[in-house]
Amino acid sequence: MMDFNTNLLDAIERIEKARIAVDRHRIVRLIAVSKYSTTEQIQALYQCGQRAFGENKVQDLNQKSQLLESLPLEWHFIGTLQSNKINMLLKIKPFMLHSLHSLSLAEELQKRLSKENKTLRTLLQINSAKENNKSGFMPEVAIEKYHQISQNFPNIKLCGIMSIGAHTQDTKIIQKSFETTYKIYEKLLPIGAQTLSMGMSGDFELAIKCGSNCVRLGTILFR
Ligand SMILES: *Cc1c(COP(=O)(O)O)cnc(C)c1O
């Protein structure tokens, strides 16, 4: 039997330690990434007090959110969104989309949102480490695109940015990718950015040190 309560408390303690070391006034949100977990496991973590969960496939999010409908959970979509899945995603009414990765997706999303008279909290995904296999806007264009989307697509409520740390064991390179992301976030603060979603099980303390206020943890919570 997995001890989710211990996992959660350990993770919170580590988040708090990292947070207090850099900024005691910053609040860091914890999203439990449940993509490899069953609804029973999500329920168990809910019973330990966790409310925010993240999924990276629309079908999984759809299925799990329906099965757990009776619980007051906050669902985050963190995966690569294909435009043919937009309708399904909007029906689920997620709390936030973390992964707006292209202008064409933004256009498509705006079309559907305005048709249904809905809005969606959204983060712009930045490919800060410039990796070929990752989606997201390149750091050089991120600020311009952020402005462009917030001006032209009124139903997309941009709340900040999201990034995945560089895929390497080299801490220096990971830190550099986080710093790149933070510099972009900093420039977006005057136009209302509030969320900097970065940090996963292997690198969240470093991400918090670099300015993250929202970590997405899967492995260390559900192991
Ligand atoms: C899977 C995933 C996570 C969680 O990763 P862990 O290493 O298991 O903590 C976070 N963010 C995204 C976008 C993911 O796909």
Side-chain angles (χ1 to χ4, degrees):
M1 177 67 198
M2 287 175 264
D3 188 352
F4 290 134
N5 209 15
T6 305
N7 287 354
L8 184 62
L9 290 177
D10 283 352
I12 291 172
E13 201 177 309
R14 286 174 61 186
I15 291 169
E16 283 300 284
K17 240 188 184 160
R19 180 184 74 82
I20 285 164
V22 286
D23 180 359
R24 27 181 74 251
H25 300 296
R26 190 196 311 161
I27 289 168
V28 177
R29 295 175 52 88
L30 164 58
I31 295 170
V33 177
S34 49
K35 63 189 183 195
Y36 302 127
S37 311
T38 63
T39 49
E40 287 74 22
Q41 293 170 325
I42 295 171
Q43 221 158 348
L45 204 57
Y46 165 80
Q47 258 136 30
C48 302
Q50 181 65 25
R51 295 293 177 269
F53 291 87
E55 287 285 333
N56 71 337
K57 294 210 171 72
V58 179
Q59 297 97 312
D60 293 349
L61 177 58
N62 188 40
Q63 202 172 27
K64 289 175 184 173
S65 62
Q66 274 181 27
L67 288 166
L68 297 167
E69 207 172 26
S70 61
L71 302 181
L73 303 182
E74 182 188 293
W75 289 104
H76 294 251
F77 188 73
I78 60 171
T80 303
L81 179 61
Q82 269 130 16
S83 54
N84 63 355
K85 297 283 168 20
I86 293 176
N87 281 345
M88 191 189 265
L89 183 74
L90 295 186
K91 269 202 206 98
I92 302 164
K93 297 198 192 90
F95 181 80
M96 189 179 269
L97 165 68
H98 285 235
S99 42
L100 180 56
H101 59 76
S102 74
L103 265 188
S104 59
L105 179 64
E107 260 166 47
E108 201 59 40
L109 202 53
Q110 169 61 32
K111 231 188 271 170
R112 314 283 177 93
L113 283 167
S114 75
K115 205 164 129 194
E116 297 180 32
N117 208 10
K118 284 178 180 168
T119 59
L120 181 61
R121 289 185 202 87
T122 303
L123 304 178
L124 204 68
Q125 183 173 356
I126 318 292
N127 188 355
S128 297
K130 300 189 177 189
E131 289 162 325
N132 287 331
N133 57 347
K134 260 182 210 156
S135 35
F137 292 93
M138 286 296 153
E140 297 79 22
V141 300
I143 292 168
E144 179 201 331
K145 301 294 179 195
Y146 193 98
H147 277 105
Q148 201 176 336
I149 290 169
S150 41
Q151 281 161 10
N152 298 317
F153 304 123
N155 298 56
I156 298 174
K157 297 297 175 198
L158 279 183
C159 311
I161 58 177
M162 179 276 240
S163 191
I164 299 171
H167 185 70
T168 167
Q169 301 294 335
D170 188 335
T171 314
K172 282 204 187 98
I173 297 175
I174 299 172
Q175 179 162 344
K176 219 172 153 204
S177 69
F178 287 154
E179 286 168 353
T180 300
T181 315
Y182 184 76
K183 276 186 202 140
I184 296 166
Y185 176 66
E186 214 177 13
K187 295 212 176 83
L188 297 170
L189 287 171
I191 61 161
Q194 294 173 337
T195 302
L196 175 52
S197 170
M198 64 181 191
M200 305 174 23
S201 291
D203 57 21
F204 68 97
E205 284 143 318
L206 184 58
I208 292 169
K209 190 179 155 202
C210 297
S212 167
N213 62 15
C214 178
V215 295
R216 310 175 307 268
L217 307 183
T219 317
I220 65 162
L221 293 179
F222 288 105
R223 71 185 157 200

